[in-house]
C-alpha cells in the first residue's frame, strides 16, 4: 500500500503532494512500481496534527480521486463518513480509518452499504496529544483486545468480516519500546485471524532507535528492515512511502520463506 498524503504537513514529504497533480503522479508511479493499492488521505494524522474540516478534506482528496478515475486501486484514509462516501462513489476500494469506527458514527453504515474493504487501526488518544506519555500494562495484549472489540463492532454494523483488516497503529500513542514490542510480537495480532496492516515506514521510532532522540522520521534502510520483519511475522499489507524499494526487499524476503 503506497502512501499519498494530500496534506500540507505530512511528517515525511512535508506537503509536496498537496498539489493534486503531484498527488496523482505519485499514485500512478507507486502503482507502476508494484503497489497493490494507494492510500490517499487529506488529513494529517502525524503526532501533534490538528483536525481539518470536512470541506477542506474533500477539497484535498476529491480532485485527486477524480483525476485518477479508477485507474489505480485506491484506499481512502479518512475517519469521516462523507469523505468515505464521496471516495467510494469515485471508485475507492477500501476505507482506512485510523479511529477504527470511533470517530464518525455514520462511517460504519457507509462502509456496510458498499462492497469496500475496511482497515481498523489502533490509536491511543488522538493525533494532537497521542504521544504525550502513552502508557500500557502490556501494549500487545491491549492492542489485540482493542482490535478484537472493534472487529466485533464493525461486523455487528453489517460489514462483512472477510472485508476487514486490522492494524496495530505503529506510532499512534506509542513509545519506541511499545512499537518494537508490537513488531516483536506481531504474531499475536496476526492470531486474530484477519489480514494485518503494518504502517511503520519512515516513522520516528526508526530514527530514534538509530540514536537520534529527537528524530521525527526514520531512514529508508530502517523502514525496509521493519517491512521485511513485519512481512516475515505475518503482516500482509505494508503501508509504505518507498514502494519500489519495499517491493524489491519483500521479493527477496519471499524467495527465502
Ligand atoms: C493514515 N495512517 C498513518 N499511519 C498509519 C498506519 O500506521 N496505519 C494505517 N492504517 N493508517 C495510517
Amino acid at each position: 500500500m503506497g502512501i499519498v498524503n494530500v496534506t500540507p504537513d505530512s511528517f515525511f514529504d512535508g506537503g509536496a503532494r498537496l498539489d493534486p497533480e503531484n498527488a496523482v503522479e505519485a499514485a500512478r508511479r507507486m502503482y507502476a512500481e508494484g503497489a497493490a493499492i494507494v492510500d490517499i488521505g487529506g488529513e494529517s494524522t502525524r503526532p501533534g496534527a490538528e483536525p481539518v474540516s470536512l470541506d477542506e478534506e474533500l477539497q484535498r482528496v476529491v480532485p485527486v480521486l477524480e483525476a485518477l478515475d479508477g485507474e489505480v486501486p485506491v484506499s481512502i484514509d479518512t475517519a469521516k463518513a462523507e469523505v468515505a462516501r464521496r471516495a467510494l462513489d469515485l471508485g475507492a476500494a477500501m476505507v482506512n480509518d485510523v479511529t477504527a469506527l470511533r470517530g464518525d458514527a455514520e462511517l460504519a453504515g457507509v462502509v456496510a452499504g458498499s462492497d469496500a474493504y475496511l482497515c481498523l487501526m489502533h490509536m491511543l488518544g488522538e493525533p494532537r496529544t497521542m504521544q504525550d506519555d502513552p502508557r500500557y500494562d502490556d501494549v500487545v495484549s491491549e492492542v489485540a483486545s482493542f482490535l478484537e472489540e472493534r472487529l466485533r463492532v464493525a461486523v455487528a454494523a453489517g460489514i462483512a468480516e472477510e472485508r476487514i483488516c486490522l492494524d496495530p497503529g505503529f506510532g499512534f500513542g506509542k513509545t519506541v519500546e511499545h512499537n518494537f514490542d508490537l513488531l516483536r510480537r506481531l504474531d499475536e495480532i496476526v492470531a486474530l485471524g484477519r489480514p494485518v496492516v503494518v504502517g511503520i515506514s519512515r516513522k520516528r521510532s526508526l530514527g530514534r532507535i538509530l540514536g537520534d532522540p529527537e528524530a521525527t522520521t526514520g531512514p529508508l534502510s530502517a523502514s525496509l528492515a521493519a517491512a521485511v520483519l513485519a512481512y516475515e511475522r505475518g503482516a500482509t499489507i505494508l503501508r509504505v512511502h518507498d514502494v519500489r524499494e519495499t517491493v524489491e526487499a519483500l521479493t527477496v524476503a519471499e524467495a527465502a520463506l
Side-chain angles (χ1 to χ4, degrees):
M1 173 185 276
I3 302 170
V4 177
N5 290 315
V6 196
T7 60
D9 52 349
S10 156
F11 79 93
F12 177 59
D13 56 43
R17 292 172 188 148
L18 187 58
D19 175 346
E21 276 183 29
N22 290 348
V24 169
E25 192 271 327
R28 287 190 179 126
R29 179 178 45 76
M30 288 178 184
Y31 186 52
E33 288 176 350
I37 195 161
V38 174
D39 193 37
I40 296 179
E43 177 171 54
S44 174
T45 51
R46 71 175 165 74
E50 297 286 345
V52 298
S53 70
L54 171 62
D55 279 354
E56 182 67 40
E57 197 175 327
L58 286 170
Q59 274 168 35
R60 290 178 185 175
V61 298
V62 167
V64 179
L65 297 168
E66 283 174 343
L68 285 172
D69 194 23
E71 199 184 309
V72 169
V74 163
S75 155
I76 181 73
D77 160 19
T78 190
K80 296 188 180 75
E82 185 54 26
V83 176
R85 187 178 291 120
R86 292 285 291 278
L88 295 173
D89 284 349
L90 288 165
M94 179 169 184
V95 176
N96 174 25
D97 177 17
V98 299
T99 74
L101 301 180
R102 294 173 301 159
D104 183 333
E106 288 180 24
L107 183 56
V110 170
V111 179
S114 73
D115 57 1
Y117 291 86
L118 173 67
C119 176
L120 298 170
M121 195 197 79
H122 176 271
M123 167 165 48
L124 183 68
E126 38 144 358
R128 202 169 47 81
T129 53
M130 66 192 177
Q131 290 307 108
D132 300 347
D133 196 24
R135 287 170 193 247
Y136 303 84
D137 288 329
D138 177 345
V139 64
V140 182
S141 54
E142 287 170 50
V143 167
S145 303
F146 170 90
L147 292 173
E148 214 170 9
E149 188 256 337
R150 299 317 295 168
L151 177 61
R152 273 198 303 270
V153 168
V155 171
I159 302 166
E161 183 165 348
E162 308 76 62
R163 295 197 161 263
I164 300 173
C165 50
L166 304 175
D167 184 333
F170 287 92
F172 284 82
K174 283 137 193 132
T175 62
V176 175
E177 291 70 29
H178 294 143
N179 288 319
F180 278 87
D181 283 347
L182 281 163
L183 193 53
R184 188 176 311 107
R185 292 166 55 196
L186 197 66
D187 57 309
E188 293 174 46
I189 308 296
V190 172
L192 297 174
R194 299 305 312 143
V196 169
V197 179
V198 162
I200 196 170
S201 165
R202 300 287 189 158
K203 284 190 177 166
R204 62 177 58 179
S205 285
L206 300 174
R208 293 190 181 187
I209 203 111
L210 291 174
D212 175 359
E214 304 302 324
T216 55
T217 64
L220 172 61
S221 52
S223 303
L224 296 177
V228 168
L229 271 173
Y231 173 66
E232 201 261 336
R233 282 160 198 194
T236 42
I237 303 174
L238 295 153
R239 187 177 180 276
V240 303
H241 300 84
D242 307 282
V243 170
R244 184 173 53 80
E245 294 84 348
T246 308
V247 168
E248 287 173 358
L250 295 181
T251 304
V252 173
E254 191 181 24
L257 271 187

